[in-house]
Amino acid sequence: MKFFLDTANLDELKKGAEWGIVDGVTTNPSLIAKEGIKFEDRIAEICQIIDGDISAEVVSTEAKLMIPEGKKLAAIHKNVVVKLPLTREGIKACSALSSEGIRTNVTLCFSAAQAILAAKAGAYLVSPFVGRIDDIGWDGNQLIRDIVDIYIEQGFKTLVLAASLRTSLHVIEAARAGAQVGTMPFKVLDSMFNHPLTDKGLDQFLKDYQKAFEPAK
Ligand code: G3P
């Protein structure tokens, strides 16, 4: 499973990069707006920090505008993946960009039917939103399981990117379901390290070592 960070914040990306476990980045208009910096500039900066797929989302809503916008984003860096919403116009743009060899990430996917459309349109990635499905009282990770099963059954090449992961349990369940990628905020990745027995165990190891080899003066 590849790990992507769902952030446009450079400090978070630098910290994640130091751990050597971040394979890519996803951004969306809300995350970019939070940073208050020119979109294209921030995408270019992110590409310098993480050497992997970097999703950059279009803000046009009509395919005839999404296509040139997507091409402009793809031209920023070879690692840019053009993110498109799962609408009729987004799917139209996805088909057009995919047929020209531009990699796409179809986002805002909330059903298996929508995921089938993304695969049919040649999407490189599809992003089902686990947390937002849980928010309305459904089971977000059941959707990941359904999409993974359907894609295997049908031999679709589109990769499943479990998005809107809010907890380490979401990550575990998405991994168990077979999602090839999980994207998460920095705080979720950071929380995956935590276990009280690790802290307690390390504390004891160091105390024992100190007692044996570094006696108090
Ligand atoms: O990757 C999609 C993500 O940005 C949405 O997350 O927590 O706003 O539902 P969230």
Side-chain angles (χ1 to χ4, degrees):
M1 186 187 204
K2 285 192 171 177
F3 273 11
F4 288 3
L5 274 180
D6 196 29
T7 182
N9 182 279
L10 299 186
D11 291 335
E12 290 181 346
L13 290 169
K14 282 177 194 156
K15 276 189 219 160
E18 279 172 6
W19 289 328
I21 54 171
V22 175
D23 305 296
V25 179
T26 48
T27 63
N28 61 38
S30 309
L31 292 172
I32 293 278
K34 225 159 72 179
E35 297 301 312
I37 189 161
K38 199 170 160 243
F39 181 41
E40 290 82 357
D41 294 347
R42 180 47 54 101
I43 296 294
E45 286 174 300
I46 292 172
C47 290
Q48 297 312 311
I49 298 171
I50 304 285
D51 183 20
D53 295 338
I54 312 296
S55 287
E57 188 160 344
V58 300
V59 287
S60 308
T61 52
E62 290 174 66
K64 65 172 192 272
L65 298 175
M66 287 173 175
I67 295 166
E69 192 186 343
K71 286 183 182 172
K72 212 169 136 201
L73 293 174
I76 295 175
H77 192 279
K78 67 176 174 36
N79 289 347
V80 169
V81 176
V82 178
K83 211 169 169 192
L84 300 158
L86 212 156
T87 57
R88 288 171 179 79
E89 291 295 303
I91 288 295
K92 191 166 157 188
C94 177
S95 299
L97 291 169
S98 303
S99 70
E100 289 190 40
I102 293 175
R103 295 180 310 149
T104 57
N105 173 358
V106 178
T107 188
L108 291 167
C109 173
F110 295 95
S111 77
Q114 291 180 320
I116 292 171
L117 296 175
K120 291 290 295 173
Y124 167 62
L125 296 163
V126 67
S127 294
F129 278 28
V130 174
R132 290 194 194 184
I133 292 181
D134 286 1
D135 287 345
I136 58 162
W138 292 9
D139 180 356
N141 268 307
Q142 183 57 50
L143 176 60
I144 303 294
R145 289 190 283 277
D146 289 344
I147 298 171
V148 169
D149 287 352
I150 292 167
Y151 280 11
I152 291 172
E153 187 65 30
Q154 293 295 331
F156 288 136
K157 299 276 179 295
T158 303
L159 302 175
V160 180
L161 187 166
S164 183
L165 300 177
R166 311 253 182 83
T167 63
S168 55
L169 194 60
H170 274 159
V171 180
I172 294 166
E173 287 301 320
R176 203 200 303 276
Q180 289 93 347
V181 190
T183 191
M184 64 205 84
F186 178 80
K187 70 170 192 288
V188 174
L189 181 63
D190 189 53
S191 78
M192 291 177 72
F193 283 91
N194 299 340
H195 200 289
L197 292 181
T198 304
D199 300 338
K200 194 174 165 213
L202 180 61
D203 192 49
Q204 190 63 51
F205 286 161
L206 297 181
K207 277 189 185 133
D208 290 345
Y209 185 88
Q210 209 171 21
K211 213 157 79 187
F213 298 110
E214 298 166 20
K217 287 172 200 152

